[in-house]
Amino acid sequence: MLTLARESRGWKQDDVATAMRELEGEGSKVGQAYVSRAESGRVTVSGERLELYARALDYPVELLTLNETEVGAGPGIVHHRKKQAVVAQDLRRIHAALNLARVQVRRLVDGAPRHAPHALPSIEVDDYTSPEEAARAVRKKWGVERGPLDSVVALLEGAGGLVLRRSLVSPMALDSGAESVPLDAVSGLLPGEDPIVLLNEGTPADRQRFTLAHELGHMVMHQVPNSEQEKQANRFAAELLMPARDIRDDLAGVVDLRALVRLKPRWRVSMWALLRRAHTLNAITDWQYRNLAVEMTTLGYRTTEPLGLDSEQPNAVNQVVRWHLSQGRTPEELACAVLLNPDEFDRLYLGGAGASARRPAETRDLIPFTEVEP
């Protein structure tokens, strides 16, 4: 837990030692070697030293003393879109943030009423079942109507998924190649737990739906990781958002920039996603694909496209927090329950609205949990 807490801050061991020395004051002998021994279990951290450790990391003492099995998740259950673009230290920070988010939301949802009408299926992709078939099976199983999806967030949350916005990496270009995509999100799924997705705060809205569908593809298909899983998740997302049988007619005419701009608000994906879909479905040739990609790059569409899309807003966790507040629990009590300091709970789960949330319940404009659309 000491390691997890440190990595969630993006710190090195020496950073922890420096913070502890500054808090302890003159004469402090805490160094990087002490932090290393503490993290490896070669020295016991307790009493005043444990409190100092917690203050340095800005976490409650209770978080640092959790049994490691309560956190449990390792890289084997973590999926990314896409980790090659992220340095190792940032990747460790993101993994730690995902693990801590799992601890937090597990405690938040415990006992709270929720609406999740669908179960997350497990579909093994092999020589007989393609990612596209897996996506079609999901749409059929969950009763999704033909054509564009109304909301990918609602689809995830309807299967018990919990989507949170977190600052993972700096914003990146809309398109960075057909397969090499920056880390827009990270997801995890352990047996007996709710699926969880951390959506990067910097993800362009034009790419958000594809990113979430990509993560859903991992959860459905990749209980056991494989070397082709990123390509498979992309194929799943493309079919889930732009089913071949539904979009072919839209791509039957001339596919040029005007067509991509026209189709973007209908299918609510980026022009780049539409361009790749047209190419995959053989609606355009390799030559047309390359020329359109060059034209879009020249026009600056790698960073900003026409007709920007609105972001989909996660709702399930917000509903749970509102329900707790409507039951008379204070933000401070919720922060204690999820093992965060009040200011960080305010920032992560109340959107910085802690002051208004602390007013008496009868004076707050809270939406009753049971009246919120799933």
Side-chain angles (χ1 to χ4, degrees):
M1 288 307 303
L2 297 178
T3 303
L4 192 69
R6 170 178 62 80
E7 290 181 342
S8 75
R9 300 304 189 199
W11 285 9
K12 299 178 181 178
Q13 291 178 342
D14 191 55
D15 297 323
V16 179
T18 298
M20 292 177 70
R21 286 197 304 272
E22 291 176 352
L23 289 170
E24 197 168 29
E26 187 175 351
S28 175
K29 297 181 180 179
V30 176
Q32 183 271 333
Y34 169 79
V35 176
S36 177
R37 290 196 302 272
E39 289 187 358
S40 64
R42 287 179 290 160
V43 61
T44 300
V45 184
S46 60
E48 292 182 358
R49 182 54 61 84
L50 177 60
E51 293 179 5
L52 179 69
Y53 217 122
R55 286 174 59 203
L57 289 166
D58 196 23
Y59 282 123
V61 166
E62 291 76 14
L63 177 71
L64 303 187
T65 57
L66 280 183
N67 190 304
E68 185 179 350
T69 57
E70 184 164 352
V71 176
I77 62 97
V78 178
H79 299 293
H80 318 82
R81 189 176 188 246
K82 190 179 185 183
K83 68 181 182 181
Q84 281 83 340
V86 184
V87 298
Q89 184 175 351
D90 281 342
L91 204 58
R92 289 193 295 269
R93 171 178 55 79
I94 292 165
H95 283 189
L98 178 67
N99 277 295
L100 292 182
R102 287 178 48 248
V103 173
Q104 294 155 16
V105 297
R106 200 163 63 233
R107 288 165 173 257
L108 270 178
V109 303
D110 185 29
R114 294 175 61 200
H115 181 71
H118 306 302
L120 189 71
S122 174
I123 303 174
E124 184 178 354
V125 174
D126 51 28
D127 293 339
Y128 304 99
T129 304
S130 69
E132 290 81 7
E133 289 170 323
R136 290 193 288 271
V138 167
R139 288 182 69 115
K140 181 178 180 180
K141 185 177 181 66
W142 290 349
V144 178
E145 295 182 358
R146 293 188 61 170
L149 284 176
D150 289 335
S151 169
V152 186
V153 167
L155 203 65
L156 272 164
E157 293 182 339
L162 300 167
V163 183
L164 299 168
R165 289 184 175 274
R166 292 291 185 269
S167 295
L168 303 180
V169 294
S170 299
M172 304 180 78
L174 270 173
D175 179 78
S176 56
E179 300 298 342
S180 177
V181 185
L183 196 151
D184 285 339
V186 60
S187 64
L189 176 62
L190 276 184
E193 291 193 12
D194 294 312
I196 185 169
V197 179
L198 300 189
L199 181 64
N200 186 32
E201 199 69 62
T203 297
D206 291 358
R207 196 169 60 213
Q208 183 197 81
R209 279 163 56 91
F210 197 97
T211 290
L212 291 171
H214 177 104
E215 296 305 316
L216 177 59
H218 280 313
M219 294 176 182
V220 169
M221 301 183 296
H222 298 138
Q223 285 71 37
V224 179
N226 67 74
S227 60
E228 295 296 309
Q229 65 181 26
E230 292 303 318
K231 293 180 181 179
Q232 291 171 354
N234 281 342
R235 289 169 58 187
F236 176 97
E239 179 64 23
L240 188 77
L241 295 172
M242 300 168 281
R245 69 173 185 171
D246 297 333
I247 201 173
R248 283 190 189 277
D249 287 345
D250 285 347
L251 300 174
V254 175
V255 178
D256 54 15
L257 290 186
R258 284 175 295 182
L260 296 178
V261 170
R262 174 175 52 83
L263 293 175
K264 179 178 177 176
R266 167 168 162 74
W267 293 95
R268 295 171 61 197
V269 295
S270 70
M271 293 170 64
W272 290 100
L274 286 163
L275 176 63
R276 286 192 290 272
R277 191 62 170 151
H279 186 231
T280 301
L281 296 178
N282 297 316
I284 57 175
T285 65
D286 292 346
W287 181 85
Q288 289 173 306
Y289 174 81
R290 288 193 298 269
N291 275 276
L292 280 170
V294 170
E295 188 174 359
M296 288 170 64
T297 299
T298 302
L299 291 170
Y301 291 178
R302 280 187 180 273
T303 53
T304 305
E305 289 184 358
L307 300 180
L309 302 175
D310 293 330
S311 295
E312 292 189 5
Q313 300 303 318
N315 195 34
V317 176
N318 292 338
Q319 286 186 43
V320 170
V321 172
R322 289 198 297 269
W323 178 80
H324 281 297
L325 294 173
S326 72
Q327 299 301 300
R329 301 187 73 181
T330 67
E332 289 82 3
E333 290 172 335
L334 292 179
C336 182
V338 303
L339 306 178
L340 285 173
N341 288 323
D343 286 347
E344 188 161 15
F345 179 82
D346 181 22
R347 176 173 59 83
L348 294 179
Y349 291 98
L350 297 175
S356 61
R358 289 180 179 84
R359 287 186 278 126
E362 64 269 19
T363 67
R364 292 195 301 265
D365 185 21
L366 290 175
I367 303 174
F369 181 87
T370 54
E371 295 183 13
V372 178
E373 289 292 331

